[in-house]
């Protein structure tokens, strides 16, 4: 890692400043000063002339991407057992694996591989579920801190309807959460704790209410799952007869946005009432199309969420999702929106590559502040993509090069990566 | 290239011998004698002891894959303009690009890139559309011949309903096809001509009847498109009022299987009558899920085709499809089958990774003869996949390693590749 936070980067610069709008600067200079973008210039301005130059001429330079939802311990079985639906998949695949993370040696080896792969990916910011194990979660945070990625990480809470081998008492769950937060909230430069009730079915009301209080007391964000699968929704309705629906079950316990910055993964089958609640509470939706396709949850109506101006980003949802690559998540988001149009609502206009590029960068990035764009004042997260392997006599505009990169790029095509002004790959 | 056709390969060997059946041999020897598989052994048998050993211990070794449908000239715009449906996409994107291949310098540069990428991919056998240009098609065949891949290549026929800049007279189309066949049928070791009417809308009855005769006279196979998009089907029904449907429109001109080995790409919206005709005529269906999702054609009912025991393989359909990687085509086939179950027919059981691995190897490979398996007597097409990057403390069976490779492998993970006993990568 190079901790040199003021420099110039030269290349073919592309970013999104609004949904469906791309800004391009061919063969230009992007200025990073103290970790923040100071603009893009065709000629180096006098006041930056002394900055060191990182020359990537001919390469595409795009903002780093934000993965709003993934499970670090599930990375061990990524791309496996993709033949079950959610509840069975949790019981037979995810839970038994997560239980292994009680063993710190197993956790260390697995999390180092997870961190290596996340560091090499297009992701610069991520909101990560760990397991319910306090020590293993702290270990994951230690490991992620060293990557230079900016991550929010959650010790998972589960005090009901979970296997004996992967459950806590309500009291332990609360105490361990407070211990973990006090150990980690100020311990890192890059890594922050995020309160993480798994989902309503595995957290009692008492626990949820306390977790909401903890968020407010420690000024911490919260992440969970919402409305992924129809069987899950039926189950929540049984468990919470007083709530008007799944979102309201969170709302009633004070764990649904408002003063608590909140991400809810999936949101596949929301009612209109829930869409409005999400909007009112400024909750972020993490759209996870790969996971939704793999475990047959359905397709979220993303066009509708864009029209409703919800806060919206993308999640790989490792390992319901099969790839950590945000490039693949982008392509699957586009394709899923087309399938939605074909099979669910012919009046829903499919998403474009521009729109989904926005979601992967500035859309999800905004959960982290001024992140995911090269507008002045934004944190300097950038990917340098070597795209000459896709060149051919046809010739391409900058926008076309971006679209082709989204469809074709693999982690190995990212030759250099910056997060918050630090070079981390 | 090493032209050494008798040797031993050591590694972790996996192949499919039947739909939904995988054979695994960990740390074993696969014997290639004169380009054919002679079995898999735990200990080297005496009669092969003198063969040179290619040691890939710890790597996965799987059969090469067959891409039953792709368009070489469209590789130039792969991953672009993915916002149109078929007929508009042909008019605004595909046809203008294909017209450029009249220029042999443009064709040479483009086709060399296409051949480089196909050679580096998981594909060892491919059925390829060129353009209507005779000379450029011969050039493509010359270039593919040098890769060591086994390809069938078609000069496209188009004599109606096509733009002026990309159309032939019926007479020219027939004469040029005969010239091209006579120049190429015996010219190559690896590359063979395949008669290629684009599709019913762009080929007159007179032309189709003559192409059927040419297939029989020269004993050549035929490839075309069938039932991709509902607007296209309506158009065919208008153009061919005497036919009972799209498949019958081919049947009436003698270009639909029987003694002519035939591949029909897509087959998304077949009637039951058409399914039976395909079965009776032993026509191969090339399932192209990426293309069908990108240009919103729908999802083919592959489970039904398997139950009906149709001849079935996979196609990348570059550049309706966005990736030449058969790994990605496999994953998209699985996911599309799940979406089909979710939105179209809840009684249709989703495809498994085993089944789709079979389609990509032995299923499609059978169009080329004994291809796509490591059973004794099969042509020796093999991929050596370095999969240690996906290892972690969880540990994996051979079948699990295969499933993970299908979801995660990229071309760069194929470190060695053989086709018909020749090492070509």
């Amino acid at each position: 890692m190079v901790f040199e936070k003021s420099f110039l980067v030269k290349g073919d610069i592309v970013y999104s400043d609004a949904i469906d709008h791309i800004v391009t600067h061919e063969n230009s200079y992007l200025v990073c000063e103290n970790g923040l973008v100071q603009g893009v210039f065709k000629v180096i301005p006098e006041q930056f002339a002394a900055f060191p130059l990182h020359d990537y001429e001919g390469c595409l330079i795009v903002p780093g991407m934000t993965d709003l939802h993934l499970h670090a311990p599930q990375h061990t079985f990524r791309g496996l057992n993709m033949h079950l639906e959610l509840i069975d998949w949790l019981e037979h695949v995810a839970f038994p694996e997560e239980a292994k993370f009680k063993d710190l040696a197993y956790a260390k080896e697995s999390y180092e591989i997870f961190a290596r792969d996340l560091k090499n990916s297009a992701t610069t910011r991520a909101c990560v579920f760990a397991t319910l194990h306090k020590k293993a979660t702290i270990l994951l945070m230690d490991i992620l801190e060293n990557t230079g990625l900016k991550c929010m990480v959650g010790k998972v809470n589960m005090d009901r309807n979970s296997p004996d081998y992967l459950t806590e008492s309500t009291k332990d769950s609360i105490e361990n959460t407070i211990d973990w937060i006090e150990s980690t909230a100020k311990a890192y430069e890059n890594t922050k704790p995020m309160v993480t009730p798994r989902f309503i079915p595995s957290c009692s009301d008492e626990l949820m209410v306390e977790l909401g209080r903890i968020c407010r007391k420690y000024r911490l964000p919260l992440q969970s799952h919402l409305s992924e699968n129809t069987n899950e929704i039926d189950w929540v309705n049984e468990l919470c007869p007083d709530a008007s629906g799944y979102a309201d079950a969170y709302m009633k316990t004070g764990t649904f946005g408002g003063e608590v910055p909140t991400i809810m993964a999936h949101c596949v089958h929301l009612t209109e009432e829930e869409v409005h609640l999400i909007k009112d509470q400024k909750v972020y939706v993490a759209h996870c199309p790969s996971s939704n396709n793999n475990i047959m949850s359905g397709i979220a109506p993303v066009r509708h969420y864009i029209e409703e101006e919800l806060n919206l980003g993308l999640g790989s949802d490792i390992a319901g999702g099969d790839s950590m690559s945000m490039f693949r998540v982008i392509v699957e988001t586009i394709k899923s929106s087309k399938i939605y149009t074909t099979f669910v609502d012919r009046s829903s206009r499919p998403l474009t590559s521009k729109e989904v590029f926005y979601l992967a960068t500035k859309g999800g990035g905004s959960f982290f502040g001024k992140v995911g764009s090269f507008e002045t004042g934004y944190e300097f997260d950038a990917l340098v993509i070597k795209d000459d392997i896709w060149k051919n006599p046809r010739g391409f505009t900058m926008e076309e090069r971006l679209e082709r990169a989204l469809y074709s790029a693999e982690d190995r095509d990212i030759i250099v990566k910056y997060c918050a002004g630090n070079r981390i790959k």
Side-chain angles (χ1 to χ4, degrees), chain A:
Chain A
M1 269 193 289
V2 182
F3 289 103
E4 176 192 61
K5 292 216 184 186
S6 295
F7 53 88
L8 306 167
V9 164
K10 184 181 185 187
D12 298 328
I13 294 154
V14 191
Y15 63 96
S16 179
D17 57 356
I19 189 110
D20 205 16
H21 190 253
I22 300 278
V23 181
T24 65
H25 296 274
E26 200 164 0
N27 201 25
S28 295
Y29 299 89
L30 174 61
V31 179
C32 175
E33 187 173 36
N34 297 322
L36 301 181
V37 175
Q38 292 299 344
V40 184
F41 305 93
K42 198 74 193 169
V43 176
I44 303 171
E46 186 57 34
Q47 73 264 40
F48 306 124
F51 285 14
L53 173 66
H54 304 180
D55 190 347
Y56 308 113
E57 194 171 322
C59 291
L60 273 184
I61 302 177
V62 305
M65 299 187 183
T66 293
D67 189 342
L68 280 184
H69 184 65
L70 75 171
H71 294 261
Q74 297 178 10
H75 187 54
T76 53
F77 63 85
R78 184 171 63 82
L80 257 197
N81 293 302
M82 304 264 64
H83 58 287
L84 298 171
E85 290 194 38
L86 178 65
I87 306 297
D88 288 337
W89 179 83
L90 286 171
E91 185 182 335
H92 296 292
V93 183
F95 289 163
E97 182 66 20
E98 290 193 17
K100 296 181 191 166
F101 285 73
K102 186 177 177 181
D103 172 353
L104 286 179
Y106 189 90
K108 182 169 191 291
E109 200 177 339
S110 301
Y111 281 152
E112 280 174 350
I113 292 167
F114 169 78
R116 173 200 73 190
D117 291 349
L118 194 63
K119 181 175 153 175
N120 285 328
S121 77
T123 299
T124 49
R125 313 265 167 163
C127 295
V128 182
F129 279 54
T131 61
L132 53 67
H133 310 98
K134 181 176 70 177
K135 286 186 184 167
T137 303
I138 294 172
L139 181 62
L140 171 61
M141 294 173 82
D142 293 345
I143 291 168
L144 283 172
E145 177 68 11
N146 289 329
T147 61
L149 297 162
K150 295 271 185 189
C151 295
M152 300 187 194
V153 178
K155 177 207 131 23
V156 173
N157 300 96
M158 308 166 69
D159 75 337
R160 68 172 177 181
N161 296 322
S162 304
D164 288 345
Y165 61 79
L166 195 70
T167 196
E168 314 157 294
S169 70
T170 307
K171 182 166 169 290
D172 284 352
S173 189
I174 294 165
E175 285 179 6
N176 283 331
T177 299
I178 292 170
D179 274 3
W180 157 70
I181 289 169
E182 295 198 336
S183 306
T184 58
K186 294 176 183 166
Y188 306 107
E189 164 94 18
N190 301 316
T191 316
K192 300 291 170 202
M194 185 167 191
V195 174
T196 306
R198 183 166 211 119
F199 64 160
I200 291 282
S202 64
C203 297
S204 66
D205 286 358
E206 184 188 347
L207 175 58
M208 290 301 290
V209 167
E210 198 51 48
L211 293 177
R213 283 198 196 116
I214 288 170
C215 287
R216 278 178 285 273
K217 176 174 174 191
Y218 292 94
R219 299 179 174 274
L220 290 178
L222 178 143
Q223 60 186 346
S224 195
H225 299 90
L226 175 63
S227 196
E228 179 173 0
N229 166 293
T230 53
N231 291 331
E232 171 210 23
I233 295 167
D234 293 343
W235 193 14
V236 171
N237 288 334
E238 277 173 38
L239 290 166
C240 308
D242 297 339
S244 66
Y246 200 159
D248 190 48
Y250 286 108
M251 191 68 192
K252 279 193 160 28
T253 58
T255 55
F256 202 69
E259 63 188 310
V260 179
T262 298
I263 296 170
M264 287 287 159
H266 303 301
C267 300
V268 177
H269 307 280
L270 298 179
T271 63
E272 275 313 283
E273 186 188 337
E274 290 176 314
V275 172
H276 296 139
L277 190 62
I278 283 175
K279 187 171 180 176
D280 291 344
Q281 294 297 111
K282 300 184 169 44
V283 167
Y284 274 70
V285 173
H287 175 53
C288 306
S290 173
S291 171
N292 297 338
N293 289 336
N294 282 326
I295 58 177
M296 298 179 64
S297 300
I299 300 177
V302 178
R303 168 64 63 203
H304 179 51
Y305 298 166
I306 289 172
E307 287 166 351
E308 289 289 335
E309 298 180 337
L310 301 190
N311 287 320
L312 190 59
L314 305 181
S316 68
D317 193 23
I318 292 301
D322 54 87
S323 171
M324 207 187 254
S325 164
M326 293 304 290
F327 297 121
R328 291 209 192 185
V329 175
I330 286 169
V331 172
E332 199 148 355
T333 299
I334 298 167
K335 288 182 179 178
S336 285
S337 79
K338 292 177 177 178
I339 293 165
Y340 185 86
T341 301
T342 302
F343 291 111
V344 183
D345 180 2
R346 292 298 302 184
S347 75
S348 174
R349 191 163 47 88
L351 302 179
T352 65
S353 54
K354 267 187 209 176
E355 290 172 322
V356 183
F357 177 63
Y358 171 88
L359 297 181
T361 55
K362 194 173 174 181
S366 64
F367 191 78
F368 287 80
K370 292 183 111 174
V371 167
S373 178
F374 292 146
E375 293 160 82
T376 300
Y378 270 65
E379 294 194 61
F380 190 87
D381 290 12
L383 312 176
V384 180
I385 302 171
K386 193 164 158 53
D387 72 335
D388 54 355
I389 194 166
W390 307 307
K391 287 187 179 157
N392 63 52
R394 186 187 175 283
F396 300 96
T397 66
M398 293 273 288
E399 283 197 21
E400 288 177 330
R401 284 172 61 194
L402 174 67
E403 186 176 3
R404 278 162 64 79
L406 299 179
Y407 277 93
S408 299
E410 297 163 353
D411 293 350
R412 284 172 272 201
D413 300 309
I414 301 167
I415 56 169
V416 170
K417 179 171 162 180
Y418 300 88
C419 183
N422 296 310
R423 179 171 171 180
I424 65 170
K425 177 182 178 179

